[in-house]
Amino acid sequence: MIELLLPADVSCAATRAETVPEGTLFPEEEALVAKSVAKRRNDFATARACARRAMAGLGLPPVAVLHGHRGRPLWPEGIVGSLTHCNGYRAAALARATDVLSLGIDAEPHAPLPSGVRELVTLPAERERIGPPAPEGTGEIHWDRVLFSAKESVFKTWYPVTGIELDFIQADLTFHRTDGEDGEDGADDGDGRLPHGGTAAEGTFTARLLLTDPALPTTLHGQWRIEDGIVATSVLVRPDWKDSGGS
């Protein structure tokens, strides 16, 4: 699914498998999770298996993917990328730094956010735009979860370039649907349901950054998709964003 949200010069790989064969990790990767619980080890290993498939898509040999501050993946020189994992979905997206300045991807279960989280990760204007939480089992879109995922993608795009923390409430997001179910003003114009009672919906979003840095535009643009119980989001910034009119 993540490959539908990114251009062709980004190499993507994804899996719904929860585990990978023994020996998938490099020794230095094994050392990072040697004392971790099984779920953490599986998340770590499956995401890195995806990363190596994405490397192959760029014609690169497989290498270990270690991590830096805040768990940021450390990619080979000249490569940018992002990893994500949640129950039922893991993915990696990589590109050459000559083509992409930074990118972020995220996947989440398509379900309401846990109680109390919505208020911590959203601005009042965002809550007004996305409306009240949708009950489970009604076929409605859980916009709070889409927004949470999109902000994760924003952070994963922002942090590798700036090295500065970005809080959830330091980005103001607006959503639009591109599957024929939305009006002109964003998520709150549609009926908030998956189209035709199906399982897929998609669209775009803009993230107005309330903390800015000259290395990145003040507004980031992304895409989102809901399919088979998973929300996936992506953000991408080109190296020439200033020349192309980015703000």
Side-chain angles (χ1 to χ4, degrees), residues 13-39:
T15 182
R16 289 184 176 267
E18 299 288 331
T19 61
V20 292
E22 288 293 325
T24 295
L25 294 179
F26 283 75
E28 53 267 52
E29 293 173 329
E30 285 278 7
L32 294 177
V33 291
K35 297 181 180 180
S36 300
V37 299
K39 183 182 185 307

Side-chain angles (χ1 to χ4, degrees), residues 14-20 42-43 46-47 50 86 88-90:
T15 182
R16 289 184 176 267
E18 299 288 331
T19 61
V20 292
N42 290 336
D43 289 345
T46 50
C50 288
C86 69
Y89 194 80
R90 291 93 159 90

Side-chain angles (χ1 to χ4, degrees), residues 25-241:
L25 294 179
F26 283 75
E28 53 267 52
E29 293 173 329
E30 285 278 7
L32 294 177
V33 291
K35 297 181 180 180
S36 300
V37 299
K39 183 182 185 307
R40 166 62 179 153
R41 286 179 56 86
N42 290 336
D43 289 345
F44 184 93
T46 50
R48 275 150 181 80
C50 288
R52 285 189 263 282
R53 286 167 49 205
M55 290 176 193
L58 292 176
L60 301 173
V63 298
V65 181
L66 306 182
H67 58 66
H69 184 61
R70 289 292 305 268
R72 179 171 69 91
L74 301 178
W75 303 110
E77 185 174 356
I79 299 298
V80 299
S82 183
L83 301 175
T84 187
H85 52 75
C86 69
N87 289 338
Y89 194 80
R90 291 93 159 90
L94 275 68
R96 298 188 183 279
T98 51
D99 298 322
V100 175
L101 174 65
S102 189
L103 66 90
I105 63 170
D106 187 70
E108 303 283 337
H110 183 229
L113 287 175
S115 176
V117 174
R118 174 187 170 98
E119 288 70 26
L120 294 176
V121 301
T122 60
L123 295 163
E126 293 174 323
R127 293 196 290 274
E128 182 176 348
R129 286 195 292 269
I130 67 175
E136 286 196 81
T138 60
E140 295 186 49
I141 292 176
H142 300 293
W143 286 110
D144 54 350
R145 184 70 73 161
V146 180
L147 187 146
F148 178 86
S149 177
K151 289 197 173 186
E152 286 285 330
S153 288
V154 167
F155 177 82
K156 292 177 181 180
T157 304
W158 161 274
Y159 187 75
V161 177
T162 67
I164 301 170
E165 301 287 339
L166 184 72
D167 194 87
F168 280 103
I169 59 173
Q170 290 179 307
D172 185 5
L173 273 60
T174 302
F175 293 88
H176 299 272
R177 295 182 68 169
T178 57
D179 53 17
E181 300 289 328
D182 188 24
E184 293 182 355
D185 296 331
D188 52 353
D189 253 7
D191 64 4
R193 297 182 66 85
L194 295 170
H196 312 301
T199 60
E202 62 185 9
T204 62
F205 64 89
T206 58
R208 182 173 62 89
L209 300 179
L210 306 182
L211 177 65
T212 61
D213 188 282
L216 285 172
T218 57
T219 299
L220 301 181
H221 300 274
Q223 298 190 65
W224 60 270
R225 183 175 175 86
I226 301 167
E227 184 177 342
D228 295 334
I230 299 294
V231 176
T233 59
S234 72
V235 174
L236 181 144
V237 179
R238 296 289 187 183
D240 62 350
W241 65 267

